[in-house]
Amino acid sequence: MEQEFQAAAPGTQTIDRAAQLLVLVLLADRPSGLGELATAAELPKSTASRLLGALERQGLVAQRGARGRFSAGPVLLRFAQRGLADRHLGQLAQPHLRVLAEGSGETVNVAVPGSLGVEHLAEVSSRHFLGTGRWVGRRVPYHCTAVGKVLLAFGAAALPDAPLEPLTEQTIVDSERLAAELAAVRRVGTAAAVDELEVGLTAVAAPVRGEGGEVVAALTISGPTLRLGPERLAVLGPELMREADALSERLTNDALPAA
């Protein structure tokens, strides 16, 4: 029977079967045994065992003992914990976002590194009709944003292997020039992006540090370039750093809430 199944199961079907087993493990109210998973997936036990073994090697499921039950693996648990940490950060950041928004009149965000770019967690919008907003849920590149430069400069993120995309004439795509700017960010403590992501958009960002002192996020103020000139950025930078440091202290002292 197993040989018939294998003959009729090309690579795509094998992936489907493994995904089905993973879903069954994750949706179960308690850790599941091999037999019940095989029955639920309508698979031979030997096939289910082989597929679960592959999932276990990738950290997607974990088995309690040699013949124990299966539950979510360490990779998925870390992913869930990261989501909880992000929500916690977004909640803790709210008073600091409001202070900066009230003081600057511009849009203020907290953002974290993602595998494909910078992810925005929370924001307070500008009080001006002409402003920037609706960043939450949007992903932006690292090399042409103030938040991205902060995360790159302090080692919280890495550039993708693909060539840097020139979004405007001001976008930095030369690796040596970008490296020099990131070194300046580490010296000064803030990063700016003027007309790099989009013409007419300027932002300044500062690092937020976690419990071990590592940079885990960035606070940023963004708005129209016509309002955020060099003199205005020079005023906002220190204010941004103060709130970023205050948020860092809160992250260090406030325990992560229970799931």
Side-chain angles (χ1 to χ4, degrees):
M1 181 175 180
E2 182 182 357
Q3 290 179 348
E4 292 177 357
F5 169 79
Q6 289 179 339
T12 315
Q13 289 184 349
T14 302
I15 294 172
D16 287 341
R17 301 292 193 231
Q20 182 184 14
L21 287 169
L22 178 59
V23 170
L24 289 170
V25 169
L26 296 180
L27 292 181
D29 295 331
R30 55 181 177 76
S32 304
L34 172 61
E36 59 187 304
L37 288 171
T39 299
E42 299 182 350
L43 294 173
K45 286 183 66 174
S46 56
T47 300
S49 177
R50 186 175 66 252
L51 294 175
L52 287 166
L55 293 172
E56 185 177 20
R57 287 192 294 274
Q58 297 302 318
L60 297 175
V61 301
Q63 187 177 23
R64 300 179 178 180
R67 297 180 179 275
R69 294 176 172 270
F70 291 89
S71 58
V75 169
L76 293 177
L77 292 177
R78 284 197 300 270
F79 182 80
Q81 182 67 13
R82 168 64 188 274
L84 181 61
D86 284 351
R87 291 194 297 275
H88 183 53
L89 172 58
Q91 293 168 0
L92 290 181
Q94 285 299 324
H96 305 283
L97 299 180
R98 289 194 292 269
V99 166
L100 289 170
E102 291 170 4
S104 68
E106 306 295 349
T107 297
V108 184
N109 300 87
V110 62
V112 295
S115 59
L116 300 176
V118 182
E119 307 279 356
H120 295 85
L121 296 182
E123 79 174 29
V124 175
S125 297
S126 170
R127 63 170 174 257
H128 298 285
F129 287 111
L130 177 61
T132 60
R134 298 185 179 180
W135 290 100
V136 175
R138 294 176 61 185
R139 182 186 300 118
V140 297
Y142 286 107
H143 67 291
C144 57
T145 57
V147 283
K149 292 176 186 178
V150 162
L151 297 173
L152 289 174
F154 292 98
L159 287 172
D161 294 332
L164 301 181
E165 184 179 358
L167 300 181
T168 73
E169 291 184 357
Q170 303 302 319
T171 304
I172 298 175
V173 294
D174 178 81
S175 59
E176 292 186 4
R177 183 183 166 197
L178 181 59
E181 180 160 350
L182 297 181
V185 171
R186 288 189 288 273
R187 290 195 304 271
V188 177
T190 59
V194 180
D195 298 336
E196 293 186 47
L197 179 64
E198 182 177 296
V199 174
L201 174 64
T202 288
V204 59
V208 176
R209 299 179 183 275
E211 186 175 356
E214 75 285 359
V215 171
V216 297
L219 278 183
T220 180
I221 300 173
S222 61
T225 301
L226 62 87
R227 283 201 304 266
L228 297 181
E231 293 182 359
R232 185 66 175 140
L233 290 180
V235 173
L236 293 177
E239 298 175 2
L240 189 60
M241 290 177 67
R242 281 194 294 272
E243 291 303 320
D245 289 344
L247 177 55
S248 299
E249 185 174 354
R250 291 195 70 192
L251 278 177
T252 300
N253 296 329
D254 285 42
L256 190 67

